[in-house]
Amino acid sequence: MTEYVGYIAMSLDGYIATPDGGVAWLDPFNEAVVADGGDGGYGAFISEVDALITGRETHQQVLGWGWPYEDRASYVLTHQEGYAADHVTVAGDIQTLKAAIEKAGHKKVWIMGGGATQRAALDAGMFDALRVFVMPTILGGGRKLFTDGQQHNLTYVASQTHGGGMLQIDYLIKD
């Protein structure tokens, strides 16, 4: 059975990126975690992930940085017909991605990307767990963690603090 997980940082006011999609606001917090001698649990997290779901914009943004996910399968959520780019296993709507992921037998899939991608996966019942890092900053606007949609109830699992004043909160998602 495939496990679908989220692992994402947001500002205290609920934004994951600036209005133009920028994430440079995270750099000082990443530096604080590294200065504390850690990685916020990222190394352990990514070592278990064998596939990713991203939105098209996030996929293109990550390609611009240099693909850091090695040979992990990458499924891209898009409404753009025939979308093709480096590191794309399958592109399409959320149901197409879900079917392809389950057919491939992936064990742990990281749902990453913008609020529309997160919302599509959430509403499709794909999230099992969510790890949110709340950063001690207020962006005042930008791209939300989840775009608007239906309510989903979460079960609190744990929380812990990291360098730079970050708060990690772990949830299970049960509908």
Side-chain angles (χ1 to χ4, degrees):
M1 180 137 209
T2 304
E3 179 184 12
Y4 295 94
V5 297
Y7 182 100
I8 194 160
M10 71 174 191
S11 63
L12 184 60
D13 53 349
Y15 297 104
I16 59 173
T18 59
D20 65 355
V23 294
W25 66 273
L26 288 166
D27 292 345
F29 304 108
N30 293 332
E31 291 166 10
V33 169
V34 171
D36 278 352
D39 68 356
Y42 179 78
F45 168 78
I46 197 68
S47 72
E48 296 178 352
V49 169
D50 62 343
L52 316 162
I53 294 176
T54 66
R56 182 185 48 78
E57 285 183 38
T58 299
H59 184 81
Q60 291 172 337
Q61 185 177 43
V62 173
L63 285 175
W65 298 332
W67 191 255
Y69 304 115
E70 300 163 341
D71 60 351
R72 289 176 179 86
S74 175
Y75 297 83
V76 178
L77 180 64
T78 182
H79 299 291
Q80 184 179 10
E81 287 290 322
Y83 177 73
D86 289 343
H87 303 284
V88 174
T89 304
V90 174
D93 65 21
I94 200 69
Q95 294 304 326
T96 299
L97 302 185
K98 185 175 182 180
I101 287 166
E102 292 176 7
K103 181 178 180 182
H106 293 295
K107 301 295 182 212
K108 190 167 192 171
V109 178
W110 178 11
I111 301 167
M112 61 181 290
T117 300
Q118 304 282 343
R119 170 57 65 182
L122 183 65
D123 288 350
M126 294 169 71
F127 266 105
D128 295 300
L130 177 61
R131 175 169 289 169
V132 178
F133 294 87
V134 180
M135 305 309 208
T137 192
I138 296 173
L139 290 180
R143 298 191 181 182
K144 294 175 12 178
L145 174 59
F146 291 99
T147 56
D148 294 343
Q150 60 189 338
Q151 178 178 339
H152 295 271
N153 296 319
L154 311 179
T155 301
Y156 171 82
V157 176
S159 60
Q160 69 182 62
T161 58
H162 295 279
M166 290 179 278
L167 175 63
Q168 172 189 323
I169 311 170
D170 295 327
Y171 297 99
L172 294 177
I173 300 178
K174 297 183 178 183
D175 282 322

